[in-house]
Amino acid sequence: MKKHNFSAGPSILERNVIEQSSQAALEINNSGLSLLEISHRSQDFIHIIEEAQKLTKELLNISDDYEVLFLQGGASLQFYMAALNFSKPDGIAGYIDTGTWSKKAITESKKIGTTITLASSVDKKHTYIPKNIASKEKLDYLHFTSNNTIYGTQFHSFEELSQLAQVNKAKLICDMSSDIFSKEINVNKFDLIYAGAQKNLGPAGATLVIVRKDSISENKHLPTYLNYNTHIEKKSMFNTPPVFSIYVAMLTLRWLKESGGITSIERKNKEKATLLYDEIDRNTLFFGIVNKEDRSNMNVTFNLKNKNGKHQFEKMCKEGGINGIHGHRSIGGYRASIYNALDIESVRFLIQIMKQLEKTIQ
Ligand code: PMP
C-alpha cells in the first residue's frame, strides 16, 4: 500500500518520477546501459544535466548573470563554502538565527571570520521569524534560512532582508533547502541561494547552488572543490557529479513545469497548508506550535493539548498509512511536511483522522 508520506526529508517524490527513474536505472535511452553505469561525460548525461539547469532557470526566471550548479556535500557543506567564498579578510558576516540550520551555518562561518547574529528567535524557542532587523556593522554578506524545517517557520517576504542587504551593500545569501521551488521568488535579489535536493527537488545527493557570477571574486588560494569559480568554469562537471540524483531532479523539474510551473504549485501549496492549519485551529484537541503569521507552508508543526489522545492518534495514523508525522527529535510533537509532491488528498486524509480522534475522545 502506498503511504501518505509527510516525511521532512528525504521526502515524497512524484510517483511518475520514481517510475521513470526506476526505468532509467535499468536502461537509459534504449542504450542497453543503465544510467548508473554510463560516463558522466557521455552525451546521454550531458543532456540530462543541461536540461536540469535549463529547467531551474526557466522555472525560477533566472537570468544569465547566474550559474546553476549541482554539487555534493549537501546544504551542510554550503554553510562553510558560502562563508569561505563570500567573506573578506577582516570583514564581518551577519546571520539571522531562526533555529538549528541557521545555527549550524553560523558555526561554520565563525571558523572563517567575524560573525554576528543580527537577530534571533531563540528567546521563544524559534517559534517566530525575527522582524525589524538592523545592522550597525558594515557586512560582507547577510545570511538567512528561508524556511525552518524543524520548527515550521518561514519568511513570507524577503523584502526587509533584501533592503537591509542593499542599504548595507552586503551580499545576500539564503539557505532555501526546504522551500525552494515551492513559491515565486525573485532570484535577482540574491547573490547566492543553496538547497539540498532532498525535499522539493529530488533524492539526497545533489545540492542546488544558484550563484551570481559577478559576486564571486577571484581567489586562487581556496581549496579547489570549495571554490565556486571551479564549478562555474566547469559547469558542475569539475568532478563526477551525483548522476542519479541529478536525473531524478531533472524529472521532478519537468513534472513541475508540466503541471503548471511555480505559480500553480504555490497556489496548491497554500491550499494544502490552509486546510491543515484551519483544522489545527478548529480542532479542540490540537494547537499549532508557531506564531500564526510565520507559519510555514512546507512544514506544519502542531501538538496535542492533552497527552490523552497521543496513543490513539499515533495508532490511527499508523493504521491509515501515514508516514513521517513525528516532530523533529529536538522539539517533539508532530510535523506534517507538505512538500510539492504531496497530494492534497493526503492532507485531507490526515484531517479526517484528526476529526475522527476528536469524536472518539469527546
Ligand atoms: N538547511 C535546512 C533548512 C535543512 O532543512 C537541512 C536538512 N534538513 C539542511 C540545511 C541540511 O541539509 P543537508 O542534509 O543537505 O546537508
Side-chain angles (χ1 to χ4, degrees):
M1 178 182 80
K2 179 75 186 119
K3 292 196 169 166
H4 298 278
N5 191 2
F6 290 89
S7 174
S11 36
I12 187 163
L13 291 169
E14 208 270 330
R15 191 69 197 167
N16 261 322
V17 166
I18 296 185
E19 280 166 13
Q20 287 179 63
S21 312
S22 312
Q23 185 49 46
L26 293 170
E27 184 178 15
I28 184 88
N29 299 342
N30 298 318
S31 62
L33 294 164
S34 159
L35 166 65
L36 306 176
E37 56 183 3
I38 58 169
S39 166
H40 60 292
R41 308 270 173 208
S42 64
Q43 279 309 306
D44 282 325
F45 184 70
I46 303 273
H47 286 148
I48 291 167
I49 193 165
E50 283 180 355
E51 187 172 348
Q53 286 158 333
K54 189 170 156 273
L55 284 166
T56 303
K57 283 190 150 189
E58 213 179 306
L59 284 161
L60 297 178
N61 207 5
I62 303 174
S63 80
D64 288 338
D65 294 336
Y66 292 81
E67 196 72 36
V68 171
L69 305 173
F70 289 96
L71 306 183
Q72 299 187 64
S76 298
L77 181 61
Q78 291 306 307
F79 297 156
Y80 186 77
M81 195 164 158
L84 190 64
N85 283 259
F86 279 86
S87 55
K88 299 199 184 99
D90 304 321
I92 300 175
Y95 281 72
I96 315 300
D97 169 27
T98 48
T100 313
W101 301 114
S102 324
K103 279 204 185 74
K104 290 196 177 193
I106 292 169
T107 303
E108 295 308 299
S109 171
K110 282 185 176 163
K111 291 176 185 164
I112 290 166
T114 308
T115 304
I116 55 174
T117 301
L118 298 172
S120 172
S121 52
V122 71
D123 57 333
K124 290 190 180 153
K125 294 192 179 144
H126 300 300
T127 52
Y128 71 102
I129 292 289
K131 302 183 183 73
N132 304 318
I133 302 164
S135 175
K136 291 191 196 100
E137 311 288 345
K138 166 87 190 73
L139 304 170
D140 290 342
Y141 67 87
L142 173 59
H143 178 288
F144 71 105
T145 316
S146 54
N147 181 72
N148 191 306
T149 327
I150 293 177
Y151 298 88
T153 56
Q154 186 174 27
F155 280 88
H156 290 297
S157 163
F158 300 145
E159 209 38 49
E160 192 192 332
L161 292 179
S162 144
Q163 272 180 23
L164 174 59
Q166 213 175 347
V167 170
N168 196 289
K169 294 200 170 48
K171 307 273 193 256
L172 189 60
I173 301 181
C174 187
D175 171 4
M176 290 196 194
S177 292
S178 49
D179 64 355
I180 188 116
F181 295 113
S182 71
K183 60 177 186 177
E184 301 274 4
I185 54 167
N186 183 355
V187 171
N188 285 322
K189 304 268 181 195
F190 295 87
D191 295 280
L192 177 75
I193 293 171
Y194 61 85
Q198 64 273 16
K199 291 143 194 345
N200 273 334
L201 184 54
T207 315
L208 175 68
V209 171
I210 302 167
V211 58
R212 194 181 175 97
K213 286 180 269 187
D214 64 9
S215 299
I216 303 288
S217 44
E218 189 67 28
N219 184 347
K220 290 205 159 48
H221 300 293
L222 297 183
T224 313
Y225 191 90
L226 301 185
N227 190 335
Y228 288 119
N229 279 323
T230 304
H231 303 288
I232 293 171
E233 275 165 30
K234 300 286 183 186
K235 307 251 174 244
S236 298
M237 298 285 268
F238 163 69
N239 66 333
T240 317
V243 292
F244 193 67
S245 180
I246 293 171
Y247 180 68
V248 184
M250 184 278 283
L251 293 178
T252 303
L253 295 171
R254 260 192 204 163
W255 160 73
L256 200 53
K257 183 179 168 187
E258 281 158 14
S259 51
I262 303 290
T263 321
S264 162
I265 203 78
E266 179 169 5
R267 191 175 29 78
K268 289 178 193 158
N269 286 334
K270 275 191 188 147
E271 194 183 344
K272 287 185 291 186
T274 306
L275 272 181
L276 189 48
Y277 284 121
D278 281 354
E279 175 60 17
I280 290 167
D281 293 341
R282 186 211 61 78
N283 194 307
T284 51
L285 303 180
F286 293 95
F287 67 97
I289 293 178
V290 306
N291 210 15
K292 278 193 182 171
E293 65 176 10
D294 302 321
R295 284 171 162 179
S296 165
N297 287 336
M298 294 282 101
N299 311 98
V300 177
T301 51
F302 59 105
N303 208 347
L304 281 159
K305 288 180 188 157
N306 188 319
K307 295 289 169 243
N308 282 348
K310 184 174 169 4
H311 176 73
Q312 182 68 8
F313 179 55
E314 290 173 13
K315 186 166 171 271
M316 285 163 85
C317 285
K318 196 169 173 209
E319 285 172 1
I322 285 184
N323 175 62
I325 197 104
H326 282 285
H328 189 266
R329 59 192 179 280
S330 60
I331 60 163
Y334 302 101
R335 170 178 52 174
S337 296
I338 52 174
Y339 296 122
N340 286 353
L342 185 92
D343 199 88
I344 194 161
E345 288 315 316
S346 290
V347 173
R348 291 211 170 96
F349 186 76
L350 173 61
I351 291 173
Q352 193 189 315
I353 286 185
M354 293 163 81
K355 286 186 194 297
Q356 264 173 23
L357 183 76
E358 194 183 32
K359 277 195 197 125
T360 318
I361 286 189
Q362 280 168 351

